[in-house]
Each structure stands twice: as structure tokens, then as C-alpha cells.
């Protein structure tokens, strides 16, 4: 009766099963919504809602909103006609997979990375083929792995890149950009965490690294991370590439978007004001992440745990001693210490044991939870 696309495994994994039994943990180190109040942003939405008395949709997004993205997010770079608005980056992926792939085609996705890609691809009848991110004291794309993935997937139609990656915090560099472009496939570059570099001067946009004459590239962003308010539901995609390809892509995306018209009028009307107010929200989020990172670095000094080097983002990756399995570590922390962390297998880490903690966790919970985590792992290691 139902399609195979909608038949994902709904069974609970071991961590979810234990959470169901134990209830909410005292020290949840996985909280990934900012939870930092910003009255200016919400007031802007309220004012725009009052103005949204007429409905005159534009499939790509209202011209004023696309202009705001082009100028306030990207400076003087893209033309507003090269900007598409969607209700989220997830919807943007859905539209781009529709644009580039027929059922049975494939897209290449990084591993480790956010686990949503496979689900989004399957819902479009598309296969998600992983390529490897390697760690050798710093994260980088394993270009040999990428080449093998391209060669093994003759029906690949695009390469997904996340810069900075979630959860590894790896920014794309010029060498990797050139290697990606050499495969001749459209690039889908997710930059939702772009603003959150841990050190000054680390941020770099993929569109600024592009080679002359490179093919199609789509850069994704949105208010969920930029404003720390996912409930506002607005994402954007910027189209780069040769003029004929850009226009053809925009025309087809307009047809796709016109079939849904999913972006609300109030949020589009509010966008210029929201983007102008986002600086304070971004600064507050980044300050919390940096403070949590400092706490974490100090807490791990001289312990059996290792903090993997990263450049950006809201997450930190910790390597635990290989004395027990990743699952045993995570379940033990929850059951014995009421500390919740995410296991590396959530993000398709190729080895174990790793755990991921959110740097956005409220400071009191983060500090106490990290102290318990370090104490538990240290005791178990002796």
C-alpha cells in the first residue's frame, strides 16, 4: 500500500530505548537549539505579520527578501535573481534533488556528517553515496575516497559538501574546492554554520573559492542557525555558475517552488529587518560556543579523553578510550550519571568510540555535565 520511500525503520535504537525508560536526563549535552532570547528578531516578525494583509506570492521568494539575502548575507556578490527562498535547508535539498536527479540517480554525501541527507535523498528516490572525511590532527576531505565514490556511482548527479561540517567543524579550503570541481558535478554546499568560526579569520565561503569557469554550485543557508530561531522557517539557496546554466537552473527551480509556495509572507516581509538584527544573535551564540569550548578544553586536560581539533560550529567531538564500545560508554553515561551525549555512529563515524556534545548547552548544565562525563570516563579507565 505504501511506497518504499516512506518505509524507514521506526524502531528505537538502544539509546532511545534507555531514554524512554529513564526519562529526561539531568545533564543533556545534546541541546542544539540556541534558546538565547532576542526580542528584536521576534518584534520584527510581529510587525511584518501585521503588514501581511495581501497574498502575492513569488515562486522564488519576494523580491525584497531575495535582495536582502543577496546584499545583507553575501555582500555585493550574487544577484537577487540567483537567490531561491525555501522554508528550510531541508526543503532546499528536496528541491535541488528534484532539479538534478531522476529516480535511481545518486548524490555523494560526506561522512561523518549530519545524518539527514540519506533520509532526504531516499524521499526523492535518490541514493546517498558516502565519501570520507579524514582526521589526522585536522579534518579534511579524503580526495581518494571522493574519487572512488564518483567512479563507483555512474549515476551520481551532485556532490554535497557541508562547510563548516557538522559535527566535525571543517571548512572547505581552496585545494578541496578545486578537487571537487574537477569531477564536473554540481556542488551543493551547506553553509548554515558559516558564521560560527571559533577563531577570527577562519571563515571562507565556497563561492569565494570557486575556480574561473567552474560549473553549477548551490550555496545553502538560513535563519535557523544565523538567528538561532529555527521556528522562523526560512532558508535560502544561491546559484553560482556560467550564466546559461544559472538561468536554466533558476527557471526550473521556479517551476518546482511554484508547485509548493511554502514560504510564509510575514517572514519574507520581515527578512530585511531580521537580517539587520541577526548580528547580536550570532554574537551571543558564538560567545556561548567559545565559552563552552574553553570549559571543555580545560576539563579535558590531563584526562583520557581527547578533543578533536575543529574550526567552527556548535558541536565538539570527543574521543574516548577504547576500553569499551561506543554504545557502552554512551549508555553508561546516561544510566549511571544522567548525562546524555550523542554517539559517533549518529553521524556515521567510521571508527569508535567518539561522542559529540553541543556547545550550545546552557552553561550551568554544560559545566556540570562535562565534569560528570570526565569523572566517569577517568574512573572507568583506571
Amino acid at each position: 500500500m505504501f511506497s518504499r520511500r516512506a518505509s524507514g525503520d521506526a524502531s528505537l535504537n538502544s539509546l532511545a530505548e534507555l531514554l524512554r525508560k529513564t526519562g529526561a536526563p539531568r545533564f543533556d549535552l545534546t541541546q542544539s537549539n540556541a534558546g538565547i532570547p532576542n526580542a528584536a528578531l521576534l518584534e520584527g516578525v510581529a510587525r511584518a505579520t501585521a503588514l501581511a494583509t495581501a497574498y502575492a506570492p513569488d515562486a522564488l521568494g519576494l523580491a525584497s527578501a531575495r535582495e536582502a539575502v543577496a546584499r545583507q548575507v553575501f555582500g555585493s556578490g550574487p544577484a537577487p535573481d540567483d537567490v531561491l527562498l525555501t522554508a528550510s535547508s531541508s526543503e532546499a535539498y528536496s528541491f535541488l534533488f528534484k532539479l538534478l536527479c531522476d529516480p535511481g540517480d545518486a548524490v555523494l554525501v560526506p561522512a561523518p556528517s549530519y545524518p539527514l541527507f540519506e533520509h532526504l535523498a531516499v524521499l526523492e528516490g535518490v541514493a546517498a553515496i558516502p565519501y570520507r572525511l579524514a582526521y589526522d590532527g585536522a579534518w579534511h576531505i579524503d580526495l581518494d575516497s571522493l574519487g572512488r565514490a564518483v567512479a563507483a556511482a555512474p549515476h551520481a548527479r551532485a556532490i554535497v559538501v557541508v562547510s563548516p561540517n557538522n559535527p566535525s567543524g571543517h571548512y572547505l579550503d581552496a585545494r578541496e574546492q578545486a578537487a571537487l570541481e574537477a569531477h564536473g558535478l554540481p556542488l551543493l554546499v551547506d553553509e548554515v554554520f558559516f558564521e560560527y568560526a571559533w577563531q577570527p579569520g577562519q571563515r571562507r565561503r565556497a563561492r569565494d573559492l570557486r575556480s574561473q569557469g567552474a560549473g553549477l554550485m548551490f550555496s545553502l543557508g538560513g535563519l535557523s542557525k544565523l538567528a538561532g530561531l529555527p521556528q522562523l522557517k526560512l532558508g535560502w539557496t544561491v546559484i553560482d555558475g556560467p550564466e546559461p546554466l544559472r538561468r536554466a537552473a533558476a527557471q526550473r527551480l521556479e517551476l518546482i517552488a511554484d508547485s509548493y509556495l511554502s514560504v510564509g509572507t510575514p517572514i519574507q516581509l520581515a527578512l530585511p529587518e531580521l537580517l539587520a538584527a541577526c548580528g547580536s544573535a550570532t554574537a551571543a551564540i558564538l560567545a556561548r560556543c567559545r565559552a563552552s569550548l574553553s570549559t571543555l578544553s580545560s576539563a579535558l586536560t590531563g584526562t583520557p579523553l581527547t578533543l578533536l581539533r575543529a574550526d567552527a560550529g556548535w558541536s565538539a567531538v570527543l574521543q574516548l578510550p577504547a576500553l569499551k564500545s561506543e554504545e557502552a560508554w554512551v549508555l553508561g553515561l546516561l544510566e549511571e550519571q544522567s548525562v546524555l551525549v550523542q554517539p559517533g555512529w549518529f553521524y556515521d563515524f567510521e571508527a569508535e568510540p567518539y561522542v559529540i556534545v553541543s556547545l550550545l548547552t546552557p552553561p550551568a548544565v554544560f559545566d556540570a555535565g562535562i565534569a560528570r562525563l570526565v569523572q566517569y570516563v577517568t574512573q572507568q579507565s583506571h
Side-chain angles (χ1 to χ4, degrees), residues 73-219:
V73 178
F74 291 90
S76 59
D81 286 347
D82 293 327
V83 177
L84 163 71
L85 301 184
T86 56
S88 64
S89 57
S90 294
E91 184 176 65
Y93 279 114
S94 172
F95 286 8
L96 292 170
F97 292 164
K98 288 179 173 70
L99 170 72
L100 299 170
C101 302
D102 289 317
D105 285 340
V107 293
L108 306 181
V109 300
S113 195
Y114 193 61
L116 188 62
F117 295 134
E118 183 175 358
H119 300 293
L120 293 173
V122 166
L123 287 172
E124 301 300 328
V126 173
I129 308 297
Y131 65 89
R132 179 174 179 257
L133 299 184
Y135 184 79
D136 57 6
W139 289 98
H140 57 88
I141 296 175
D142 181 337
L143 298 179
D144 289 337
S145 169
L146 176 64
R148 290 192 298 272
V150 172
H155 296 296
R157 294 294 179 260
I159 302 173
V160 175
V161 186
V162 186
S163 180
N165 180 269
N166 178 30
S168 73
H170 157 257
Y171 275 108
L172 193 65
D173 64 28
R175 173 174 169 269
E176 293 169 330
Q177 174 86 16
L180 288 162
E181 291 171 353
H183 290 291
L185 294 170
L187 303 182
L188 280 53
V189 185
D190 188 327
E191 295 184 324
V192 296
F193 287 102
F194 173 78
E195 299 291 341
Y196 298 103
W198 294 347
Q199 300 297 330
Q202 288 180 316
R203 299 183 305 172
R204 47 188 179 267
R205 286 202 184 275
R207 69 189 315 269
D208 296 329
L209 302 174
R210 281 171 51 79
S211 305
Q212 205 167 24
L216 274 176
M217 187 177 81
F218 304 88
S219 300

Side-chain angles (χ1 to χ4, degrees), residues 186-324:
L187 303 182
L188 280 53
V189 185
D190 188 327
E191 295 184 324
V192 296
F193 287 102
F194 173 78
E195 299 291 341
Y196 298 103
W198 294 347
Q199 300 297 330
Q202 288 180 316
R203 299 183 305 172
R204 47 188 179 267
R205 286 202 184 275
R207 69 189 315 269
D208 296 329
L209 302 174
R210 281 171 51 79
S211 305
Q212 205 167 24
L216 274 176
M217 187 177 81
F218 304 88
S219 300
L220 284 67
L223 286 178
S224 175
K225 303 302 183 293
L226 187 63
L229 291 170
Q231 65 268 39
L232 294 185
K233 303 305 294 179
L234 185 82
W236 50 78
T237 300
V238 172
I239 311 167
D240 278 296
E243 173 71 15
L245 283 177
R246 291 205 322 277
R247 297 280 59 80
Q251 182 181 33
R252 287 163 174 78
L253 284 169
E254 184 173 12
L255 176 63
I256 294 168
D258 194 43
S259 301
Y260 295 90
L261 295 175
S262 56
V263 187
T265 299
I267 192 63
Q268 294 187 71
L269 291 174
L271 191 58
E273 184 177 352
L274 292 178
L275 291 176
C278 269
S280 59
T282 302
I285 292 169
L286 188 54
R288 178 178 289 186
C289 288
R290 286 173 172 165
S292 296
L293 187 64
S294 178
T295 296
L296 187 58
S297 298
S298 297
L300 265 54
T301 301
T303 75
L305 297 93
T306 301
L307 172 64
L308 272 61
R309 177 184 163 189
D311 296 327
W314 294 0
S315 299
V317 180
L318 310 181
Q319 185 174 18
L320 277 55
L323 302 173
K324 57 176 78 175

